[in-house]
């Protein structure tokens, strides 16, 4: 689709805008009623009986995405560097295992920086298409900048949630091409285990037999190391977590006093996860007018904001099988236990 312009058009479900540069088109498919959905998710999560919670997907507004980028450079948080090392070292080997021709979709592409090694390895043997799926428009724009020097690819970005975006990709792909889906950075770990398998099975249903999924999974490690990774000395992860309340203030007109909530990281041994919470430092009332909510917090009460599940290498093979894939190869980083897994749709 190099040099091809997609005309802007509107459908019932979403609006589509095409941004064209000299040789590339990024096709933004905007989500409607985003703030309504945010208000209703905040309302549901904070009125849940027992444990209050907020969905971790809302961390990633522009400020939250920038803070996550900083987290990935922290000495305590080796996950992103391990993911990148494996991709850089093994991109050619990964691509050699795929039948040609192949197009690439990435769920939660961020700036597209990690896809570069895979795309370059593919571009050496064929022209290809890259379909980043992202809820952040600014991240999609970054993809365009980050990858603009690779000649033999066309980029079509989808500003959608993962599965909606992948369905669009499936409708868009050329039937003659196999699809490689990238789901990197152990984002799968932010689902609980059954939901993670269900998500993989949904991805599988959208794919054709012979398509593949490159899945990044953070592996189990000592509790002390995990707690430092999710509660760093500089307080960047604390700011990332607290930004969720700041976002509710900004977008839903709430009056969370950020100074009255503390970032807490905890190990959940049973779930084999690290949890992040925001703990109320005192008894307090918070109003969220756009969610039609007034909330009481007891001293020490928490809002559960994220779980990051950690895996054993063998478990990934079982998860793959349960979701309709077979795990064809696995690469494990030597410095930070993290695995890149190549799953093939059966
Ligand atoms: C995106 N996700 C895999 C990160 C993780 O490790 O669970 C998000 C994160 N939360 C705190 N630090 C990083």
């Amino acid at each position: 689709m190099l040099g091809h312009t997609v005309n802007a058009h509107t459908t019932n479900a979403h609006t589509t805008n095409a941004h064209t540069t000299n040789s590339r088109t990024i096709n933004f498919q905007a989500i409607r009623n985003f703030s309504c959905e945010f208000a209703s998710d905040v309302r549901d999560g904070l009125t849940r009986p027992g444990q209050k919670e907020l969905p971790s997907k809302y961390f990633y507004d522009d400020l939250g995405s920038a803070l996550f980028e900083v987290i990935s450079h922290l000495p305590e948080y080796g996950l992103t560097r391990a993911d990148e090392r494996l991709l850089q070292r093994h991109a050619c080997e990964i691509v050699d295992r795929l039948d040609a021709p192949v197009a690439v979709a990435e769920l939660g592409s961020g700036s597209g920086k990690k896809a570069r090694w895979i795309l370059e390895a593919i571009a050496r043997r064929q022209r290809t298409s890259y379909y980043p799926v992202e809820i952040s428009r600014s991240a999609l724009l970054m993809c365009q900048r980050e990858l603009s020097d690779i000649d033999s690819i066309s980029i079509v970005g989808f500003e959608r949630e993962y599965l909606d975006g992948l369905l669009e990709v499936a409708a868009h792909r050329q039937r003659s091409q196999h699809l490689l889906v990238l789901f990197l950075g152990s984002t799968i770990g932010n689902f609980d285990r059954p939901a993670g398998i269900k998500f993989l099975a949904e991805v599988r249903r959208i794919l054709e037999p012979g398509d593949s999924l490159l899945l990044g999974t953070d592996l189990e490690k000592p509790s002390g190391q995990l707690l430092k990774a999710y509660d760093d000395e500089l307080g960047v992860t604390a700011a990332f977590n607290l930004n969720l309340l700041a976002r509710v203030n900004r977008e839903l007109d709430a009056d969370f006093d950020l100074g009255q909530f503390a970032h807490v990281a905890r190990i959940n041994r049973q779930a084999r996860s690290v949890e992040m919470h925001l703990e109320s430092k005192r008894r307090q009332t918070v109003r969220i007018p756009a969610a039609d909510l007034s909330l009481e917090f007891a001293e020490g009460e928490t809002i559960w904001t994220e779980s990051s599940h950690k895996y054993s290498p063998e478990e990934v093979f079982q998860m793959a099988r349960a979701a309709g894939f077979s795990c064809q190869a696995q690469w494990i980083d030597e410095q930070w236990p993290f695995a890149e897994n190549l799953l093939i749709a059966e």
Side-chain angles (χ1 to χ4, degrees):
M1 219 188 275
L2 222 65
H4 174 84
T5 306
V6 176
N7 293 319
H9 66 273
T10 308
T11 68
N12 287 339
H14 52 257
T15 46
T16 301
N17 296 304
H19 292 228
T20 307
T21 61
N22 287 347
S23 60
R24 284 179 183 76
T25 300
I26 295 197
N27 189 13
F28 295 110
Q29 311 224 342
I31 303 162
R32 274 200 186 146
N33 285 332
F34 179 81
S35 65
C36 266
E37 208 178 300
F38 182 39
S40 118
D41 286 349
V42 165
R43 198 185 154 73
D44 288 353
L46 293 181
T47 54
R48 197 148 287 175
Q51 175 70 64
K52 291 182 170 69
E53 58 183 86
L54 285 171
S56 59
K57 68 176 180 180
Y58 292 114
F59 279 137
Y60 303 94
D61 64 353
D62 284 352
L63 183 53
S65 301
L67 287 167
F68 180 62
E69 173 66 24
V70 179
I71 288 174
S72 72
H73 293 277
L74 293 171
E76 296 98 325
Y77 190 82
L79 189 158
T80 311
R81 288 186 296 280
D83 197 15
E84 291 177 356
R85 265 193 304 276
L86 290 169
L87 291 167
Q88 187 169 15
R89 273 188 202 156
H90 302 291
C92 290
E93 200 186 329
I94 292 167
V95 168
D96 282 348
R97 286 173 176 270
L98 307 173
D99 290 332
V102 64
V104 179
E106 182 168 15
L107 308 182
S109 60
S111 66
K113 186 176 156 207
K114 290 187 199 167
R116 162 175 292 280
W117 294 291
I118 298 287
L119 292 171
E120 282 179 342
I122 296 175
R124 261 178 237 127
R125 67 179 199 190
Q126 56 158 102
R127 290 181 97 75
T128 190
S129 303
Y130 174 54
Y131 304 111
V133 175
E134 248 303 329
I135 49 172
S136 157
R137 177 172 292 209
S138 55
L140 285 175
L141 282 165
M142 255 192 283
C143 272
Q144 184 185 32
R145 279 198 298 275
E146 183 74 30
L147 301 169
S148 62
D149 61 313
I150 308 177
D151 282 334
S152 323
I153 60 167
S154 67
I155 305 173
V156 180
F158 292 91
E159 192 187 354
R160 306 295 297 269
E161 302 232 356
Y162 300 142
L163 294 174
D164 288 347
L166 191 58
L167 277 166
E168 299 271 356
V169 171
H172 215 90
R173 69 186 282 194
Q174 289 168 27
R175 288 290 138 201
S176 57
Q177 288 192 322
H178 296 283
L179 194 63
L180 167 66
V181 178
L182 308 179
F183 194 39
L184 304 171
S186 202
T187 302
I188 186 78
N190 297 135
F191 293 96
D192 64 33
R193 285 184 153 75
I197 293 175
K198 186 164 171 264
F199 180 80
L200 294 179
E202 280 167 14
V203 169
R204 168 63 194 88
R205 263 194 289 281
I206 299 170
L207 300 183
E208 303 288 338
D211 287 343
S212 46
L213 171 66
L214 188 65
L215 179 71
T217 49
D218 200 24
L219 301 178
E220 290 169 308
K221 42 190 72 61
S223 302
Q225 190 180 5
L226 281 178
L227 285 174
K228 282 187 184 154
Y230 289 84
D231 192 6
D232 62 278
E233 243 188 334
L234 277 175
V236 184
T237 310
F240 174 70
N241 199 7
L242 281 162
N243 178 54
L244 196 46
L245 300 187
R247 182 176 185 182
V248 178
N249 284 351
R250 283 192 295 270
E251 296 182 25
L252 302 180
D253 216 16
D255 62 358
F256 278 105
D257 178 348
L258 300 197
Q260 294 306 327
F261 285 87
H263 165 69
V264 176
R266 291 182 189 158
I267 301 292
N268 183 331
R269 286 187 201 289
Q270 214 187 354
R272 288 186 287 137
S273 67
V274 195
E275 292 180 357
M276 298 208 307
H277 291 254
L278 290 161
E279 184 176 309
S280 177
K281 292 184 185 170
R282 59 169 163 83
R283 202 164 158 246
Q284 55 186 316
T285 305
V286 175
R287 272 157 292 267
I288 313 179
D292 196 20
L293 211 57
S294 175
L295 286 169
E296 300 297 328
F297 285 88
E299 184 180 339
E301 186 179 1
T302 71
I303 307 173
W304 175 26
T305 52
E306 186 188 62
S307 285
S308 295
H309 293 81
K310 307 300 168 188
Y311 303 92
S312 71
E314 308 73 43
E315 187 181 0
V316 182
F317 284 79
Q318 292 156 14
M319 284 162 57
R321 261 197 305 278
F325 290 97
S326 71
C327 185
Q328 202 203 73
Q330 184 177 67
W331 296 266
I332 297 180
D333 188 63
E334 285 158 8
Q335 294 175 44
W336 177 276
F338 183 98
E340 219 69 80
N341 311 278
L342 183 61
L343 315 189
I344 308 292
E346 304 220 284

